[in-house]
Amino acid sequence: MKQKYLYYTVPLLGTIFCLWYIFTASCDGIYSDYVRLVNSYLPNVFNPGLFFVPDILTRIPVNYLARIINVTFFDYNIMFDRVLGVLALGLSGAAITAYCVRKKLSFGWFLVLMAVLFSLNKWEMLNNGSGFAHFLSFALFYWHYEVFDRVWSGSDRVSDRICLIVIPFMTTLLVAGPYCAIYSVTVLLSCIMLFFHQRRKQGFWSVIYGLCALIPFLLYLWSNRYAVEDHAAPATVSLLTQLMDTPGFFIRFFVKSFSSMIIEGERAEEIFRTNGAPGDCILCAGTVVYLVLSSL
């Protein structure tokens, strides 16, 4: 029991560390895509016309509640949303810790896992207040997977079965937004495997769990049909034409997506100034090889 408390102390310390970080590294100011969100919703967060729209599920409904609380009690303080993001990251740590405790993972490897989770490679999302819903989504994903693993191993309780019915609706319809796709597919495949793994004992329940993941996902797809995409600069040429004109662009785009893990973004911009220079292509190819080798 004492060891269990020791494990849960680590995500608590990680949460405190990230709270210290956001208060030290940021101020109450908006930037990035958060500006667009503020311009769209801040004039009147209580306006039902902005909420009850056909594509409501694509707009992550939990954000509306957060905005109302923020405006009502904190005069719309960006730090409020950042704190929510850190707390949601802490919930992810708690869900992962529960799994590690149950599987009796060694404390050393557990520390490594927590160090990765609470590392500052998430600095942009931590400092961008709009990222809290994404952190909360992953916390719910991890919680769902942990409960599902208990059911898979046969150590589930009645409350676990209820959770597997409720969590997908709560996650997909209220929190996950576009992140729900891979989550729903993963849960559906897991339910199929559970059906064949424990057909006699869990066959009926695995079908129920699968339907509870499928139904909210279908509702999200239905809502997404009515979404109006807002593109700052719509493409005017085909993908093949773009590839022929700027062969290095796609490789550069891939490499720069991982720039914060290898070099800083400004350095990546300096290196990749042009789209098709031979030197850029060689450097891009070398970086791709490095990424592939480092992932092995």
Side-chain angles (χ1 to χ4, degrees):
M1 184 63 68
K2 292 182 179 180
Q3 187 180 25
K4 178 180 178 180
Y5 289 130
L6 178 62
Y7 274 68
Y8 279 100
T9 300
V10 179
L12 176 61
L13 293 176
T15 303
I16 295 174
F17 166 72
C18 289
L19 286 173
W20 168 83
Y21 167 73
I22 62 172
F23 279 99
T24 303
S26 63
C27 60
D28 186 23
I30 60 175
Y31 77 104
S32 184
D33 58 339
Y34 202 78
V35 178
R36 174 178 54 84
L37 296 176
V38 171
N39 291 337
S40 299
Y41 297 103
L42 188 57
N44 186 2
V45 295
F46 298 95
N47 182 3
L50 296 176
F51 183 79
F52 295 106
V53 290
D55 65 326
I56 180 175
L57 301 182
T58 67
R59 304 191 183 198
I60 310 180
V62 72
N63 279 327
Y64 290 92
L65 176 61
R67 293 186 192 111
I68 291 174
I69 295 175
N70 198 347
V71 169
T72 303
F73 298 102
F74 301 98
D75 294 327
Y76 207 78
N77 191 316
I78 305 301
M79 197 61 71
F80 170 78
D81 289 340
R82 293 182 180 131
V83 170
L84 287 182
V86 173
L87 295 180
L89 181 63
L91 290 177
S92 292
I96 295 174
T97 301
Y99 176 82
C100 293
V101 169
R102 188 167 56 84
K103 293 296 184 178
K104 299 180 180 179
L105 184 69
S106 67
F107 191 69
W109 282 112
F110 172 71
L111 287 178
V112 173
L113 184 61
M114 288 294 104
V116 173
L117 179 66
F118 290 101
S119 66
L120 296 183
N121 65 347
K122 308 170 185 63
W123 65 269
E124 184 175 6
M125 292 298 290
L126 289 172
N127 288 317
N128 189 332
S130 63
F132 91 89
H134 307 302
F135 285 118
L136 183 58
S137 297
F138 281 92
L140 291 172
F141 296 165
Y142 297 146
W143 179 31
H144 193 160
Y145 300 154
E146 158 61 8
V147 174
F148 194 95
D149 189 76
R150 289 203 297 265
V151 173
W152 180 279
S153 61
S155 58
D156 59 304
R157 299 158 295 195
V158 175
S159 59
D160 291 332
R161 297 183 180 184
I162 296 176
C163 285
L164 290 185
I165 293 174
V166 175
I167 294 176
F169 285 93
M170 180 173 60
T171 302
T172 303
L173 301 182
L174 299 179
V175 181
Y179 287 92
C180 72
I182 187 62
Y183 158 72
S184 300
V185 172
T186 300
V187 173
L188 286 171
L189 292 176
S190 300
C191 290
I192 293 174
M193 294 178 65
L194 179 65
F195 177 82
F196 290 105
H197 178 67
Q198 297 180 341
R199 190 179 317 180
R200 297 179 181 177
K201 297 181 179 179
Q202 300 287 354
F204 170 77
W205 284 105
S206 62
V207 174
I208 297 298
Y209 303 149
L211 288 175
C212 290
L214 179 62
I215 291 173
F217 181 54
L218 293 178
L219 289 175
Y220 175 85
L221 293 178
W222 170 78
S223 179
N224 189 59
R225 288 183 55 195
Y226 300 96
V228 178
E229 299 293 340
D230 181 18
H231 297 291
T236 56
V237 297
S238 66
L239 184 63
L240 181 59
T241 302
Q242 183 70 39
L243 178 61
M244 298 298 293
D245 292 342
T246 55
F249 173 77
F250 295 93
I251 299 177
R252 289 171 51 250
F253 182 82
F254 173 78
V255 174
K256 287 169 65 176
S257 298
F258 293 92
S259 61
S260 61
M261 298 182 182
I262 305 172
I263 56 177
E264 62 182 5
E266 290 78 6
R267 178 57 179 163
E269 289 287 350
E270 181 181 348
I271 294 174
F272 304 125
R273 284 189 180 278
T274 60
N275 284 323
D280 285 351
C281 294
I282 294 174
L283 184 56
C284 289
T287 308
V288 170
V289 172
Y290 168 80
L291 287 170
V292 172
L293 293 178
S294 62
S295 64
L296 296 178

